[in-house]
Amino acid sequence: MNKLPTLLLTALLMFCNGRILAQIYDFEDGVIPVSWKGDRTNFQVSSTNEFQLNAPAGSTSSSLFWPSITTQNCIWEFYVKYAFGASSTNYATFYLFSTETDFSSASNVSYYLKIGGASGSTDKIELIYQQGSSKQVVLESRTGIVGGSEVTCRIQVSKNAMGMWELKTDTTAGHNYVKEASAQHWIANTFNYSGIRCLYSSTRRDKIYFDDIVIYEPFVIKSYAFENDSTLKIYFNQTLAAGLQPFVNEDFNMPYRLSSEGNYLLISFQGPLLSDTYRGTISNIFSSSGDSLSDTSFEIIKQLTYYVGQIRISEWMSDPSPSYGLPEVEWVELVNMSNEQIDLSKISISDPSSKIRLPAYRLNSDSVVIVCSLNTCKYFLRQNCIEVNALPSLNNSADSIFIWANDSLLIDLVSYNTSVMSTDFRSDGGYSIMRKTYPEECMLSQEIDFSQEHVGGSPGYISGVIISSTLAINATVLSVREVSIKMNTKVSGWDTSFYALLGVDHAVYNRYSYGTSYTLYLQQVLEEGNAYNLLIDSIRTCRNQMKYVNTEIEIIYPKQIEKNEVFVNEILYNPNSGGVDFIELYNTTSKYIQFRQTHFYNESNGVVQHLYFSDDVVIKPLGFVVLTSDTAILKEQYANTISANAFQITHFLSLPDTGGKLTWVAPNSDTLDQVYYGDSYHNPLLRNTEGYSLEKVSSSDSYFSVSNWTTSAVNATPGYINSQHEVSDKIQQKGFYCNPCHVTTNLNGVNDYVMLHLNEAAQGCFGSIGIYRLSGEKVLDLLVNQSLGNMNTIQWNGQQQGGALLEAGIYIAVAQWWTSNGQVYVSKIAISTSQY
């Protein structure tokens, strides 16, 4: 017999010594491997070191099994010899895969080679799939290849990850294999065993031989994956040799670069690879052990990946009557924002109550299509129009439209409400609504308005709408150690970087229909009433691309309001014609405070009005909040309104021009504040109170006093420090205070400076003073490590470091001074700026 060549044996031993999976049985040590179980006494190793059947008289079958190799790609090679002519009662089977150790069991599932088993010249080799009593021939060799008076043959059979089998033989028992057949068949199962089974008559019980059994995993292409639309990784089952210069015989219709690392070949395309099936070969690539590919061919299928923003709703008609030149039918226009053609048969359109699939239609890149109900395309005189059985009915004034891929992935969403859009004749009907900007891919934000076309819209024509990026991130405290983060963008998973001063222990990622959310589990407990900064450095978008956002958000954990914390600070009860009333509140503490579920009562002329405050509104430390019925009108009447501090309240109180009493009550029924208002509290020199607010002189006083209220010097100061604000003697006794505490930046010579005072409490110390935003960001150093005297006065003109004017708003002046014995004192006060 031609034993396994030394060179091949050495190579296969290298497989076994850690390169890949391998089993080698050449019986040169003269013993049957200890891992082989079954009818061991019915076999022996012959004097020529071959595995030999040696069964007692009368036996009809004997078998041995051993643990099989579990791999997607495998090659089996072995030598077989019959010292007789095979027949239906005398032959052997080689079990490649088996679920059970009893190969003849009625419940066994297996793939095995049957070598002969017929008679004479018709004998052949068959690969059989067995499932219990059912047997199926997967492939077979040429007829008669194992016929004749004796059988001597070397067999090789292989299977790849796709279930493709190939049978090769050398009937001279050498290694010059000839392909016999190939076929595809694979039914996955838990195959734990391989083995040999011999069937024989008594005269043939010692005449079946096997040798040079080698089972191994070849060097093959294992799998592939697209990291993104422009990057492909082809994985191999072994580590690749260093310094390769591989060649791929496929142009992909796109320039690309090749590189290799570890166990994969990286193909970097110049642009996004289009969806298609790509077939080719890979050459000049070797494993780290010098092996060449057993199969160099590949098939890469690039599926169309759906993502948010791939298709956008560009224009729609919800109220087609009266017509200004367009058909009086509802329609929705879609635009393909991707660089690929999209088959719309997997796309659905819906409103909140109904959904319908679109018909098959190839929508090219940068092209639009009109979607409408049956028998209505004829009215548009456009080829790019498709019909559905019933387009979801669009409400005239307000509704939402959704676009879905495969009925599950939200591709786009628009919500409209004509009451907050342009208030001209177009809102009466006949004009379409269209996007002013398209959100960046993966985002769901939007800007809309009525069409400006004189015929009511432009269905079927692509518009030159720009793409805008508006990332919105909201943070909500769930518990003292849990924070919810919601984004209006879809991300692919875990590659989002969170950095926070309080420390993020870990984050749980959740995808929901309209964006992405994370639950952050913190390393320490949040303190009620405080704010914390969270930096989101980067995200990986829904298209699996890294996007650096460098966005900082504030996590606020407000406390519930209590007595002597927040007070009514300003009231406008007699507005100018067409104006609105307002109530301003001031937070005297250094905490963030939530006053939801509080009650306002207004008593005037024997009539009591009640307002239950159900909105979630947080007032900042030393901050202001303005409550009104219409913030737009308030801003129009008082241009100096701090819009960020203004909140529009549905069913706001009506404060009578004749005056009244306002009472603010906490959820636990404590009275938070009680204020009287009316003309008698205004400056007596004021002839007409219309349009003038009443201001509190000392914002920190917790009781109502007639002398503590007066007319605003600038008509009104909604959302910022009062024009008549005074610093009380009590405050002046503090080491750090301001007077005045507001600066106007219009350079008119009035209130051009805030005056900050450090009194004798800091005498003999060194100190620093800085100006900060409410977010904690420092904008200016006024003093840095300066020697302090008996009375220290520093002025600030509302400018930041470098001399640029700051925007109008509330800022915090922080003074820090320290003594020679190491004691440190810190004091903070609120100051404000505006243009008026």
Side-chain angles (χ1 to χ4, degrees), residues 727-793:
V727 181
S728 68
D729 290 339
K730 178 181 177 182
I731 294 177
Q732 290 183 13
Q733 296 306 312
K734 295 182 179 180
F736 186 47
Y737 64 95
C738 59
N739 186 19
C741 298
H742 178 73
V743 57
T744 57
T745 57
N746 55 12
L747 302 178
N748 65 352
V750 179
N751 293 332
D752 285 344
Y753 296 95
V754 164
M755 306 302 291
L756 302 172
H757 306 278
L758 265 173
N759 65 16
E760 64 270 16
Q763 183 179 5
C765 299
F766 276 76
S768 299
I769 299 177
I771 308 297
Y772 294 79
R773 298 183 192 274
L774 291 177
S775 64
E777 176 190 1
K778 181 185 283 189
V779 296
L780 180 66
D781 283 314
L782 283 175
L783 287 182
V784 179
N785 198 19
Q786 294 289 312
S787 176
L788 303 175
N790 181 47
M791 180 59 70
N792 309 275
T793 300

Side-chain angles (χ1 to χ4, degrees), residues 79-86 115 123 145-153:
Y79 165 86
V80 63
K81 180 177 75 173
Y82 299 161
F84 57 86
I115 306 162
D123 276 334
I145 198 169
V146 286
S149 58
E150 288 191 355
V151 173
T152 301
C153 187

Side-chain angles (χ1 to χ4, degrees), residues 392 465 509 615:
V465 180
Y509 162 73
D615 293 343

Side-chain angles (χ1 to χ4, degrees), residues 563-569 585-590 622-624 672-673 695-704 708-709 721-722 725-732 734 738 741 828-830:
K563 290 185 67 172
N564 300 322
E565 291 181 333
V566 183
F567 302 103
V568 177
N569 193 54
L585 307 173
Y586 173 64
N587 180 4
T588 65
T589 76
S590 61
L622 304 173
F624 300 84
L672 299 171
D673 202 2
E695 291 183 344
K696 200 172 186 179
V697 177
S698 178
S699 300
S700 299
D701 285 350
S702 59
Y703 60 93
F704 178 80
N708 198 30
W709 288 84
I721 199 165
N722 292 342
H725 172 74
E726 289 183 0
V727 181
S728 68
D729 290 339
K730 178 181 177 182
I731 294 177
Q732 290 183 13
K734 295 182 179 180
C738 59
C741 298
K828 305 176 183 179
I829 54 176

